[in-house]
């Protein structure tokens, strides 16, 4: 059942701690960049508005220009820097798997010479796909409600009565949304993994590879997402048990001193368990890609792996 998680764990044996430490360092680095970058933009906007308020004057031309420039700066920061930083996390899983060694600069793969523009173009395409999918899934419940009560559209009453039919349709909608989300995630991650192994290949090659890896190995992909789903359920149960146990201890002891120690322990353990589950999940996506991409006979097109 957990074939891909097991394969990933065995393949990177001896490197897991280094990968995790590099990811933690990258999280700190990207967070600092985001906070400073976004903070500068909002500092300009906030300072300008504060000056108007304190002086009780209307917006001057320079102030308006400053705000417009700050907004454009924030927009550019998100598009040209933060989106790429957001995909740096995945690089550690894939490139460490490929090279069997984790390096901090794996996360900065997209910012290297001759890779930036292609990385940016791919990230924008992936972001559009993800946005369009989420937007479309937000309407999944509407036709299901109309099937139960066709008068909903004319009456404008979208309040839900929890009838058996509504519950069934809600479950169907949730399953459809979950499957589509997994499918899009599998395709977009495979597109990005193709980029990591062949950054100079065309956008069409990456889109085709990402799609083919999933659909030409669809039974294996279903096994993957089932295991990912079960890991998510297991993590939720374990963390819920920890929280309930902590509350029970607090009620039983009725001691602030005990809770002072118990709460941080529960938080730390929950974070560690969540990180371990997430680590195995993304590692399994990498393993799925590597195990099934070979069937597409693309090895001769790989340009370089070096991060």
């Amino acid at each position: 059942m957990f074939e891909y998680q097991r394969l990933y764990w065995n393949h990177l044996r001896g490197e897991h701690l280094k990968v995790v430490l590099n990811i933690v360092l990258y999280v700190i680095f990207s967070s600092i960049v985001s906070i400073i970058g976004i903070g500068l933009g909002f500092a300009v906007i906030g300072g300008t508005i504060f000056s108007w308020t304190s002086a009780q004057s209307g917006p001057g031309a320079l102030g308006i220009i400053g705000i417009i420039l700050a907004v454009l700066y924030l927009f550019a920061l998100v598009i040209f820097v933060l989106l790429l930083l957001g995909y740096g996390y995945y690089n550690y899983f894939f490139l460490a798997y490929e090279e069997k060694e984790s390096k901090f600069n794996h996360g900065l793969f997209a910012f290297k010479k001759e890779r930036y523009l292609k990385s940016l173009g791919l990230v924008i395409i992936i972001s559009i796909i993800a946005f369009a999918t989420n937007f479309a899934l937000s309407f999944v419940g509407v036709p299901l409600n109309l099937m139960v009560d066709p008068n909903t559209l004319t009456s404008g009453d979208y309040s839900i009565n929890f009838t058996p039919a509504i519950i069934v349709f809600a479950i169907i909608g949730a399953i459809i949304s979950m499957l589509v989300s997994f499918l899009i995630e599998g395709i977009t991650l495979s597109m990005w993994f193709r980029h990591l192994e062949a950054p100079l290949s065309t956008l069409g090659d990456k889109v085709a590879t990402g799609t083919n890896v999933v659909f030409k190995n669809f039974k294996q992909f279903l096994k993957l997402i089932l295991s990912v789903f079960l890991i998510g359920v297991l993590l939720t149960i374990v963390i819920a048990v920890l929280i309930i146990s902590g509350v029970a201890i607090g009620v039983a002891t009725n001691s602030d001193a005990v809770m002072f120690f118990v709460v941080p322990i529960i938080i730390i353990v929950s974070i560690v368990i969540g990180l371990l589950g997430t680590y195995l999940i993304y590692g399994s996506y990498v393993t799925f890609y590597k195990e099934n991409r070979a069937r597409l006979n693309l090895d001769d097109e790989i340009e370089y792996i070096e991060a």
Side-chain angles (χ1 to χ4, degrees):
M1 177 62 70
F2 300 99
E3 172 188 358
Y4 292 110
Q5 289 82 9
R6 185 178 65 254
L7 287 173
Y8 179 79
W9 186 264
N10 292 335
H11 188 80
L12 261 70
R13 189 178 298 276
E15 286 292 317
H16 293 295
L17 182 59
K18 188 182 293 187
V19 174
V20 172
L21 289 176
N22 280 330
I23 291 175
V24 170
L25 289 175
Y26 183 82
V27 169
I28 295 172
F29 167 76
S30 58
S31 298
I32 291 174
V33 172
S34 300
I35 291 171
I36 293 176
I38 294 175
L40 288 174
F42 279 104
V44 172
I45 296 173
T48 304
I49 294 175
F50 178 77
S51 66
W52 293 343
T53 304
S54 60
Q56 295 183 347
S57 61
L62 290 178
I64 293 176
I65 292 174
I67 288 181
I68 292 174
L69 291 177
V71 171
L72 292 176
Y73 157 77
L74 288 171
F75 181 78
L77 178 69
V78 171
I79 297 297
F80 297 108
V81 178
L82 299 187
L83 277 180
L84 288 176
L85 281 178
Y87 272 82
Y89 306 103
Y90 305 124
N91 302 355
Y92 289 103
F93 298 94
F94 185 86
L95 294 172
Y97 184 97
E98 187 63 43
E99 299 180 354
K100 298 183 181 178
E101 181 181 1
S102 182
K103 304 173 184 176
F104 177 76
N105 66 350
H106 281 169
L108 302 175
F109 180 95
F111 293 93
K112 296 297 181 68
K113 185 179 180 181
E114 296 183 352
R115 304 175 193 171
Y116 178 78
L117 290 179
K118 284 187 173 290
S119 299
L120 180 62
L122 181 59
V123 165
I124 290 174
I125 294 298
I126 289 175
S127 299
I128 292 173
I129 292 173
F131 175 80
T133 301
N134 291 328
F135 183 77
L137 289 177
S138 66
F139 291 95
V140 168
V142 174
L144 294 178
N145 289 337
L146 292 177
M147 289 174 64
V148 177
D149 183 8
N151 296 322
T152 298
L153 188 61
T154 55
S155 66
D157 182 10
Y158 286 88
S159 60
I160 297 178
N161 297 315
F162 289 99
T163 63
I166 283 288
I167 294 174
V168 170
F169 284 124
I171 293 173
I172 293 174
I175 293 174
I176 292 174
S177 298
M178 183 178 65
L179 288 176
V180 173
S181 296
F182 275 127
L183 182 64
I184 296 301
E185 184 175 37
I187 292 173
T188 53
L189 281 179
S190 295
M191 289 165 57
W192 185 253
F193 295 154
R194 177 58 177 166
H195 173 68
L196 294 178
E197 69 179 5
L200 301 184
S201 63
T202 64
L203 176 62
D205 169 72
K206 292 159 188 171
V207 173
T209 301
T211 304
N212 288 333
V213 164
V214 171
F215 284 105
K216 290 188 177 182
N217 304 281
F218 197 66
K219 289 183 179 179
Q220 291 299 315
F221 182 71
L222 291 178
K223 290 182 180 179
L224 170 67
I225 62 174
L226 178 59
S227 66
V228 168
F229 174 75
L230 291 176
I231 289 175
V233 171
L234 182 61
L235 289 177
T236 302
I237 292 174
V238 171
I239 292 174
V241 169
L242 285 173
I243 295 174
I244 293 172
S245 300
V247 172
I249 292 172
V251 172
T253 60
N254 193 27
S255 171
D256 293 338
V258 171
M259 292 306 295
F260 179 79
F261 290 100
V262 170
V263 171
I265 291 174
I266 291 176
I267 293 174
I268 293 172
V269 173
S270 298
I271 290 174
V272 170
I273 291 174
L275 289 176
L276 177 60
T278 303
Y279 179 74
L280 289 176
I281 286 172
Y282 285 114
S284 65
Y285 274 108
V286 167
T287 308
F288 168 80
Y289 176 85
K290 293 300 295 182
E291 291 290 319
N292 294 287
R293 185 202 54 76
R295 301 179 185 179
L296 302 180
N297 299 317
L298 295 175
D299 289 332
D300 57 330
E301 297 179 20
I302 296 178
E303 292 148 11
Y304 54 88
I305 303 295
E306 181 186 0

